[in-house]
Amino acid sequence: MIVSTDIEVWLLFAPFWILGMAALIGGLWHMVYAWLVTHRAQAAGHVRKPAAFSSGLRWHELTDQGRRHLKRGFLWLGAFFALTLLGIGVGAAVGLLLGR
């Protein structure tokens, strides 16, 4: 059975794409959850509410759970960008090596 080169390149790129999508979903979930935890703490009076024109809360003003989820959100979004760039690099390298 002969497999076309387009399918071969897709199969090389697919693991990076699938893992990247999982990392993106995980990162966004953690960001949303950090936002939700912070707003719950503000509603309960544990965390101050920033002024209307301020840049928001500082790292030390967040709750422990908010910091944890924000850190994990940034980690997963970084993993998404790394996997995306790695997948594009693999696809480009295979495309250049096959030369078609």
Side-chain angles (χ1 to χ4, degrees):
M1 183 173 157
I2 298 174
V3 179
S4 73
T5 56
D6 293 336
I7 294 175
E8 289 176 0
V9 171
W10 169 249
L11 290 175
L12 287 172
F13 181 69
F16 297 106
W17 183 79
I18 292 169
L19 290 173
M21 286 292 126
L24 179 63
I25 290 168
L28 292 177
W29 184 85
H30 279 289
M31 291 290 194
V32 168
Y33 200 74
W35 178 82
L36 186 65
V37 165
T38 301
H39 282 279
R40 283 181 185 164
Q42 287 175 345
H46 299 293
V47 176
R48 74 170 183 87
K49 293 183 181 180
F53 295 107
S54 72
S55 62
L57 296 173
R58 302 288 184 248
W59 183 258
H60 68 277
E61 295 173 330
L62 297 173
T63 61
D64 290 337
Q65 194 176 20
R67 277 192 296 270
R68 190 184 101 218
H69 282 286
L70 198 58
K71 188 182 345 175
R72 288 182 180 183
F74 286 137
L75 178 73
W76 283 109
L77 289 177
F80 164 71
F81 289 119
L83 285 167
T84 301
L85 290 175
L86 192 60
I88 290 171
V90 166
V94 169
L96 288 175
L97 288 176
L98 293 178
R100 295 180 191 183

